[in-house]
Amino acid sequence: MKFNELHLEKAVLQGLDSMNFQDTTPVQELTIPVILQGKDIIACAQTGTGKTAAYVLPVINEISKGKLPRNEINAVIMAPTRELAQQIDQQIEGFTYFVPVSAVAVYGGTDGIGWVQQRRGMQMGADIVIATPGRLLAHIRMGTVDLSSVSFFILDEADRMLDMGFYKDIMKIYRLLPPTCQSIMFSATMPPKIRELAQKILKNPEQIQLAIARPPETIIQTAYICHDFQKIKILQSLFSKSAPKRVIIFSSSKIKVKELSIVLTRMRFNVAAMHSDLEQSQREEVMKEFKNGHIDILVATDIVARGIDIDDIRVVINFDLPHDAEDYVHRIGRTARGTSGEGLAITLVAENEQAGFQEIEQFLGKTIYKIPLPEEVGEGPEYNPTMFPPKRKRGRPKKEGSQQKSVPSSPPRKRGRPRKQI
């Protein structure tokens, strides 16, 4: 379907045309008409499907008509991380080039100047507020935010927000909204807790569920079956044969991320770590340096697995197994996104991770090629998931900083006319 078939305002279509957006993605085709009808909606769609535009465009479209209160907050978009909030803000800036709709991103980790700028933007009535739950609540407690005129309440990556422990924050914010507010939820997965949340905040919602996409065939998926202590040696062997460039290494614990980045730095690799303990300015600098090619290896928690667009990633390495098969898809989906359209995914599978890895293979409906261990690494265990059950029940941690086994310490705005000043 073409965007010009969706009954969007002319100025909104102008912005899409200037960005060379002509055809809708499946999630956009299914959700935009429903949102334009004013219905609550819950949509299950993973990152990379165009879901941000799916909810942003109809919201911008309705605000641009000029029928909603002026100089008031008309839409609140909740995001689990600062990076995703920033990315949504950037997309809104592009979509609103030809319409007088303003936005402000509200997130933690900034200095006093950042706080004042966020407060000023909301007090002056930014049309759209993109916020992380904790930061928006902090402004609410200070009495600087009025949500009484909000017409749209959107939860992006709702499952991730619940995983991070934001349920109570979300409900506190929701209770401050007018009863006429249209609520929209997007989630990559649909576990019972998401359905429970939907029952509490959505009114007779339309449900749209797109099948979880399998990784594209352009991603070569491989694995090393190894002992845990061999993982560092495998990385060392890999990087000695081919100098690392544009590599992301994922770990499920920020403790592992910190320790692994230290180990790789001692090996004289150009490495940076990305996790929630970094100040916002530090995280922005790391992402900037990595995108610009000044950093070769980014060691990260799942904070960058969803919702962050980084082109031309050559290799994604799972230093340890993600918490479920869908997270595996999100992680390796960071590669094969640039002009080459090709990428390599490598997963290091220890004995206690074999059962979980088998679950991933079953989810994908394919057997992932197991690469023989390099001779210098030594002999690894047999791949037999029934022989090596997991040591603990698999599941998502409530917070990114959950304690896990450590890594071995050594190798053994808007623009428009006119724009509100925020």
Side-chain angles (χ1 to χ4, degrees), residues 111-157:
D111 54 17
I113 295 175
W115 172 274
V116 171
Q117 290 174 336
Q118 294 171 10
R119 182 185 65 189
R120 184 167 177 264
M122 289 185 288
Q123 287 178 330
M124 294 186 68
D127 294 302
I128 303 173
V129 172
I130 312 106
T132 53
R135 187 65 156 194
L136 183 58
L137 267 183
H139 280 283
I140 289 171
R141 294 190 188 102
M142 295 292 291
T144 59
V145 183
D146 180 8
L147 302 181
S148 62
S149 297
V150 172
S151 296
F152 303 95
F153 182 56
I154 299 108
L155 300 180
D156 194 357
E157 298 202 0

Side-chain angles (χ1 to χ4, degrees), residues 27-73:
V27 68
Q28 293 162 0
E29 179 180 346
L30 292 171
T31 57
I32 290 177
V34 177
I35 297 174
L36 288 174
Q37 292 172 21
K39 296 180 180 180
D40 284 11
I41 189 172
I42 178 169
C44 184
Q46 66 188 93
T47 186
T49 57
K51 62 181 175 60
T52 303
Y55 63 76
V56 161
L57 287 174
V59 168
I60 292 172
N61 190 78
E62 296 309 293
I63 296 175
S64 70
K65 293 179 179 179
K67 298 180 181 180
L68 299 178
R70 296 179 60 85
N71 299 320
E72 299 286 348
I73 298 173

Side-chain angles (χ1 to χ4, degrees), residues 26-27 30 43-49 51 157 159-160 186-191 194-195 208-217 221 306 324-334 359-360 362-365 396:
V27 68
L30 292 171
C44 184
Q46 66 188 93
T47 186
T49 57
K51 62 181 175 60
E157 298 202 0
D159 54 345
R160 184 63 71 185
F186 275 78
S187 180
T189 59
M190 203 68 69
I194 286 294
R195 298 185 184 277
I208 295 171
Q209 186 157 358
L210 279 74
I212 297 293
R214 301 303 189 257
E217 293 301 320
Q221 300 179 59
R306 293 192 191 186
D324 56 42
E326 290 169 359
D327 276 345
Y328 173 84
V329 174
H330 289 302
R331 281 187 182 185
I332 72 171
R334 297 307 94 198
E359 292 175 7
I360 291 174
Q362 291 170 345
F363 175 81
L364 298 174
R396 296 176 183 271

Side-chain angles (χ1 to χ4, degrees), residues 321-382:
L321 223 56
H323 295 288
D324 56 42
E326 290 169 359
D327 276 345
Y328 173 84
V329 174
H330 289 302
R331 281 187 182 185
I332 72 171
R334 297 307 94 198
T335 188
R337 295 165 67 93
T339 55
S340 67
E342 297 179 348
L344 172 63
I346 301 171
T347 302
L348 309 184
V349 185
E351 297 101 315
N352 65 308
E353 296 173 313
Q354 289 193 15
F357 189 69
Q358 184 182 52
E359 292 175 7
I360 291 174
E361 291 185 308
Q362 291 170 345
F363 175 81
L364 298 174
K366 65 182 291 184
T367 298
I368 296 175
Y369 176 66
K370 283 77 174 177
I371 306 174
L373 292 181
E375 187 176 339
E376 63 270 25
V377 171
E379 187 175 347
E382 175 189 357

Side-chain angles (χ1 to χ4, degrees), residues 14-33:
Q14 270 187 289
L16 288 168
D17 188 61
S18 68
M19 298 171 71
N20 199 29
F21 281 33
Q22 304 295 332
D23 299 304
T24 62
T25 66
V27 68
Q28 293 162 0
E29 179 180 346
L30 292 171
T31 57
I32 290 177

Side-chain angles (χ1 to χ4, degrees), residues 236-404:
Q236 189 174 23
S237 176
L238 284 172
F239 297 154
S240 66
K241 295 173 182 175
S242 177
K245 291 284 185 182
R246 311 293 286 164
V247 175
I248 297 181
I249 302 177
F250 282 113
S251 178
S252 298
S253 161
K254 64 185 177 184
I255 294 176
K256 280 189 179 181
V257 166
K258 293 175 184 178
E259 296 183 358
L260 180 55
S261 64
I262 292 172
V263 171
L264 293 175
T265 299
R266 287 173 179 167
M267 294 181 184
R268 301 184 180 275
F269 292 115
N270 186 9
V271 183
M274 187 71 167
H275 51 78
S276 62
D277 280 351
L278 296 179
E279 296 292 333
Q280 178 62 21
S281 59
Q282 294 174 304
R283 291 163 71 170
E284 291 176 0
E285 183 64 21
V286 168
M287 293 302 294
K288 177 183 175 183
E289 291 293 292
F290 184 62
K291 289 180 179 180
N292 291 340
H294 299 151
I295 293 171
D296 297 325
I297 304 172
L298 182 66
V299 186
T301 59
D302 286 308
I303 196 170
V304 297
R306 293 192 191 186
I308 304 298
D309 292 319
I310 308 173
D311 289 336
D312 300 321
I313 300 302
R314 298 180 182 180
V315 181
V316 168
I317 299 175
N318 294 309
F319 189 82
D320 51 18
L321 223 56
H323 295 288
D324 56 42
E326 290 169 359
D327 276 345
Y328 173 84
V329 174
H330 289 302
R331 281 187 182 185
I332 72 171
R334 297 307 94 198
T335 188
R337 295 165 67 93
T339 55
S340 67
E342 297 179 348
L344 172 63
I346 301 171
T347 302
L348 309 184
V349 185
E351 297 101 315
N352 65 308
E353 296 173 313
Q354 289 193 15
F357 189 69
Q358 184 182 52
E359 292 175 7
I360 291 174
E361 291 185 308
Q362 291 170 345
F363 175 81
L364 298 174
K366 65 182 291 184
T367 298
I368 296 175
Y369 176 66
K370 283 77 174 177
I371 306 174
L373 292 181
E375 187 176 339
E376 63 270 25
V377 171
E379 187 175 347
E382 175 189 357
Y383 182 61
N384 188 342
T386 60
M387 184 184 300
F388 299 109
K391 292 181 180 177
R392 60 179 175 82
K393 184 177 179 181
R394 294 175 56 73
R396 296 176 183 271
K398 285 196 173 182
K399 295 186 179 179
E400 179 186 294
S402 60
Q403 300 294 321
Q404 296 186 24

